[in-house]
């Protein structure tokens, strides 16, 4: 972040007394480290809690490490048992819908950048507005549709098991809802693309499909990476569609977030260590993506 | 007569001078239509538009229709007798008013707090500091997590007996409080946790905007003898306005989605008194009590609420030529 940014602090430092500048610098770093603690402590506390024995849980502070004898992976094993199938299910619908909405979003953005007719702005506005529709506004018709009208389970009953049908429903739903944001991201790039080259190709007799395949797609590879990372995270983390379309934690197609929401409920309260292990396990795929591609992720966030 | 014939010919696209030095044969109207931008681009944006249009806009229309029925429980909704009854019920339901009030408090407080904290983070990071990139990654980290996941962490943080939050306020001689159990505290506690999750997002938006401020503007202000405070007020904050607008729009959207967080925090459709928002009320009525039509009516209210955000946003984007 520091590269290329305007270094206001640095330049005013040159003009002030050296000691004042040092004191301010110390204050700055103290603030920054305080903030690091604030942003990390809930996650850190979850991590240490999930590996504590019940004795260590009573004897130590919630943010303190358990000590050498107080470590157990028991809760992680439980969480892994409970969430394993959910993690597989989540991957099964997250990966196809991420790929699909990236491709469809790129096509829509190309089509809308290509055109010059009057309705184009209205169509694009409908695409963008789709980003901001709360899921609650569609969730009743959607469950009605999937349970009664589409009858995927009946029509394809011979081809698909009900587990596969539910996964397919989730893929289609997530794709439909991912298209708007993907279209916006791709179009922001396509608008700044060099269209002279494309015009030249068209004069040489290249069709729109050829231009898309040979020129636009290769140029949008970096944007595809951004969209993949962003959409993967969004769809993996989604909960309301899982809750309403899958319907029940015990369904064989239950997603990771759905299973986590009901994990470790006991009569006398909540099994916090188990919940913490489950939460971290559920977060693992997006955490990995995030930490490996932090810069791309930040780029994707800037809608 | 000659004029009319010429007009007809022009309408049909005949005899038009060709300037591209292309092939000699004339194109018929159909051929030109087939060659128009609309037709050539439709295969690209058409299929995604149909898929999205069906699941988003047709679904909203259907949802409105459902909200006019009295559909509850099993079976098929009866579309033959439509009425606004559900909307009248809404007006008389005290639960709706409480949920609306909480929704607005959540929207406004959460958005303003995120904008403020995000600005602080961005201004701290937008200077020559070591590990700037690492710090940005840490502050944005909670944004990569699901509401369901962060809710688990914050339940633990707010735990009455030995939660960290009570230990921290205990240092100042306060508490312990039942943060998630008390109707007066619960909404504030939820907002605080959501700010933890989303302030990094605002920070990233601001940082991108700060980086795009041309350096000569700082130079000019410095030549004029502006101190740091004036610099922020006159140069930096005005330049951030577009970023503030787009960040607020997205933050409002996240706040409307706070349902996930509340569901996971309170193990179900029913948040503690003081934390019920329209989103939780809607899902509870529809999926918890099978009052499908009534839930749909609340969903329409939520949709109208989000329209109030979308429409001005789209309009400014249109004005700025971003559509």
């Amino acid at each position: 972040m520091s590269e290329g940014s305007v270094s206001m602090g640095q330049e005013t430092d040159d003009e002030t007394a050296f000691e004042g500048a040092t004191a301010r610098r110390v204050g700055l770093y103290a603030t920054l480290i305080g903030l690091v603690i604030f942003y990390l402590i809930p996650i850190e506390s979850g991590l240490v809690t999930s590996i504590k024995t019940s004795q260590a849980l009573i004897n130590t502070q919630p943010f303190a490490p358990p000590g050498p004898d107080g470590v157990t992976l028991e809760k992680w094993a439980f969480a892994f048992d409970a969430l394993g199938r959910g993690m597989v299910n989540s991957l099964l619908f997250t990966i196809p819908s991420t790929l699909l909405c990236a491709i469809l979003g790129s096509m829509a953005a190309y089509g809308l950048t290509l055109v010059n007719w009057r309705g184009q702005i209205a169509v694009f506005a409908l695409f963008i507005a789709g980003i901001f529709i709360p899921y609650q506004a569609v969730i009743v018709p959607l469950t009605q549709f999937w349970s009664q009208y589409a009858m995927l389970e009946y029509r394809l009953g011979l081809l698909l098991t009900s587990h596969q049908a539910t996964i397919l429903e989730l893929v289609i739903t997530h794709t439909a809802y991912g298209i708007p944001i993907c279209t916006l991201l791709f179009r922001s790039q396509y608008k700044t693309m060099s269209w002279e080259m494309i015009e030249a190709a068209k004069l040489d007799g290249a069709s729109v499909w050829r231009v898309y395949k040979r020129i636009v797609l290769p140029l949008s590879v970096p944007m595809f990476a951004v969209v993949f990372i962003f959409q993967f995270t969004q769809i993996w983390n989604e909960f309301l569609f899982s809750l309403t379309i899958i319907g029940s934690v015990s369904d064989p197609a239950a997603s990771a977030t759905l299973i986590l929401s009901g994990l470790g409920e006991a009569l006398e309260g909540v099994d916090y260590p188990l919940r913490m292990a489950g939460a971290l396990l559920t977060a693992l795929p997006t955490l990995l993506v995030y930490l490996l591609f932090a810069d791309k992720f930040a780029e994707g966030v800037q809608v | 007569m000659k004029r009319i014939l010429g007009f007809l010919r022009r309408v049909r696209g005949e005899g038009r001078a060709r300037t591209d030095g292309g092939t000699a044969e004339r194109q018929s109207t159909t051929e030109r239509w087939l060659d128009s931008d609309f037709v050539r681009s439709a295969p690209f944006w058409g299929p995604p538009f149909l898929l999205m249009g069906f699941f988003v806009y047709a679904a909203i229309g259907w949802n409105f229709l459902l909200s006019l029925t009295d559909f509850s429980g099993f079976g098929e909704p009866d579309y033959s007798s439509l009425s606004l009854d559900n909307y009248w019920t809404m007006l008389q339901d005290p639960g709706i008013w409480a949920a609306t009030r909480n929704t607005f408090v959540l929207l406004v407080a959460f958005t303003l707090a995120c904008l403020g904290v995000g600005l602080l983070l961005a201004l701290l990071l937008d200077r020559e500091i070591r590990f700037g990139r690492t710090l940005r990654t840490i502050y944005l980290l909670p944004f990569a997590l699901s509401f369901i996941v962060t809710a688990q962490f914050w339940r633990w943080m707010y735990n009455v007996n030995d939660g960290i939050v009570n230990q921290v306020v205990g240092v100042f001689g306060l508490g312990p409080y039942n943060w998630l159990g008390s109707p007066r505290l619960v909404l504030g506690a939820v907002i605080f946790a959501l700010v933890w999750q989303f302030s990094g997002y605002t920070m990233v938006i601001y940082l991108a905007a700060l980086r795009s401020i041309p350096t000569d503007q700082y130079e000019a202000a410095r030549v004029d003898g502006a101190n740091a405070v004036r610099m922020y007020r006159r140069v930096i904050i005005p330049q951030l306005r577009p970023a503030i607008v787009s960040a607020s729009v997205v933050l409002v959207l996240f706040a409307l989605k706070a349902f996930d967080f509340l569901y996971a925090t309170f193990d179900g459709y029913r948040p503690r008194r003081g934390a019920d928002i329209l989103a939780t009320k809607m899902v509870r009525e529809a999926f918890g009590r099978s009052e499908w039509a009534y839930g749909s009516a609340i969903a329409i209210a939520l949709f109208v609420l989000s329209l109030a955000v979308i429409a001005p946003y789209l309009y400014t984007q249109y004005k700025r030529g971003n559509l």
Side-chain angles (χ1 to χ4, degrees), chain B residues 25-53:
Chain B
E25 71 264 35
R26 284 175 183 166
Q27 282 182 305
S28 75
T29 320
T30 335
E31 274 170 16
R32 275 198 306 115
W33 189 76
L34 282 175
D35 201 34
S36 70
D37 278 344
F38 175 79
V39 174
R40 285 187 311 145
S41 68
F44 289 94
W45 59 261
F49 186 71
L50 285 179
L51 183 62
M52 179 206 66

Side-chain angles (χ1 to χ4, degrees), chain A residues 1 5 25 29 32 39 45 49 61-62 115 126 134 148-149 177 187 191 237 270 275-276 290 295 301, chain B residues 41 55 57 76 126 128 130 133 136-137 139-140 144 146 152 155-156 162 167 199 201 267 321 323:
Chain A
M1 188 48 51
S5 59
R25 216 88 194 121
Y29 280 103
L32 289 170
Y39 281 97
S45 171
T49 302
Q61 298 284 354
V115 292
L126 283 176
Q148 293 182 16
Y149 295 88
Y177 278 87
R187 196 170 118 113
K191 270 179 85 168
N237 285 344
V270 178
R275 280 275 177 107
M276 295 302 142
Y290 176 69
D295 288 342
V301 167
Chain B
S41 68
F55 282 99
Y57 294 106
E76 294 273 327
D126 189 46
E128 291 288 329
R130 284 161 165 269
R133 203 176 274 263
R136 185 193 63 171
T137 305
Y139 301 154
L140 184 62
S146 167
Q152 308 310 328
R155 282 177 77 145
W156 183 229
D162 38 21
Q167 293 195 357
S199 43
Y201 163 76
D267 281 328
L323 286 190

Side-chain angles (χ1 to χ4, degrees), chain A:
Chain A
M1 188 48 51
S2 51
E3 302 92 352
S5 59
V6 184
S7 52
M8 284 245 330
Q10 188 71 28
E11 282 166 43
T12 37
D13 282 353
D14 294 340
E15 294 157 17
T16 23
F18 177 71
E19 284 147 32
T22 315
R24 233 188 300 161
R25 216 88 194 121
V26 171
L28 171 67
Y29 280 103
T31 315
L32 289 170
I33 291 166
L35 285 165
V36 166
I37 294 171
F38 172 66
Y39 281 97
L40 286 186
I41 204 94
I43 303 170
E44 185 269 350
S45 171
L47 181 63
V48 294
T49 302
S50 71
I51 57 169
K52 278 177 188 173
T53 58
S54 33
Q55 196 54 44
L57 194 66
I58 297 162
N59 291 338
T60 54
Q61 298 284 354
F63 52 84
D69 321 325
V71 179
T72 172
L73 290 177
E74 190 193 14
K75 299 294 179 187
W76 277 82
F78 273 137
F80 200 82
D81 268 354
L83 280 162
R85 79 191 156 93
M87 305 267 290
V88 173
N89 286 333
S90 282
L91 280 179
L92 280 179
F93 66 77
T94 303
I95 292 173
S97 36
T98 301
L99 290 170
L100 271 173
C101 58
I103 292 164
L104 289 172
S106 147
M107 281 173 53
Y110 172 68
L112 288 170
T113 321
L114 199 68
V115 292
N116 216 359
W117 48 285
R118 258 176 294 164
Q120 177 243 335
I121 284 183
V123 171
F124 187 56
L126 283 176
F127 268 101
I128 297 196
I131 301 170
F132 302 106
I133 308 287
Y135 290 171
Q136 268 84 1
V138 295
I139 201 69
V140 173
L142 211 61
T143 44
Q144 285 288 307
F145 176 74
W146 286 132
S147 67
Q148 293 182 16
Y149 295 88
M151 292 194 286
L152 267 175
E153 280 98 287
Y154 305 105
R155 294 260 170 81
L156 302 173
L158 297 175
L159 295 172
L160 296 177
T161 65
S162 89
H163 169 257
Q164 290 164 332
T166 310
I167 296 285
L168 185 63
E169 289 170 3
L170 286 167
V171 169
I172 296 172
T173 311
H174 279 298
T175 305
Y177 278 87
I179 285 172
I181 181 78
C182 294
T183 306
L184 179 68
L185 287 168
F186 277 112
R187 196 170 118 113
S188 66
Q189 188 205 353
Y190 292 168
K191 270 179 85 168
T192 59
M193 215 164 44
S194 146
W195 283 83
E196 286 91 350
M197 193 157 79
I198 290 164
E199 287 302 321
K202 275 204 284 193
L203 281 183
D204 289 347
S207 70
V208 270
W209 283 100
R210 225 181 134 78
V211 170
Y212 179 65
K213 234 170 59 187
R214 291 293 166 82
I215 301 176
V216 177
L217 268 187
L219 282 175
S220 31
V221 169
M223 193 42 118
F224 264 103
V226 169
V227 170
F228 279 145
I229 291 161
F230 187 67
Q231 271 310 103
F232 180 86
T233 316
Q234 291 299 308
I235 298 175
W236 179 277
N237 285 344
E238 207 284 321
F239 177 69
L240 189 57
F241 283 153
S242 293
L243 177 69
T244 52
I245 293 177
I246 301 168
S248 133
V249 177
S250 53
D251 192 289
S255 72
T257 46
L258 185 59
I259 295 177
L260 173 64
S261 75
L263 186 68
E265 261 177 76
L267 277 176
E268 65 277 16
V270 178
D271 185 346
Y272 281 109
L274 179 57
R275 280 275 177 107
M276 295 302 142
L280 285 161
L281 199 59
T282 307
L284 212 55
T286 52
L287 272 183
L288 277 179
V289 166
Y290 176 69
L291 293 174
L292 288 175
F293 308 102
D295 288 342
K296 290 260 178 234
F297 187 89
E299 223 177 290
V301 167
Q302 296 159 26
V303 181

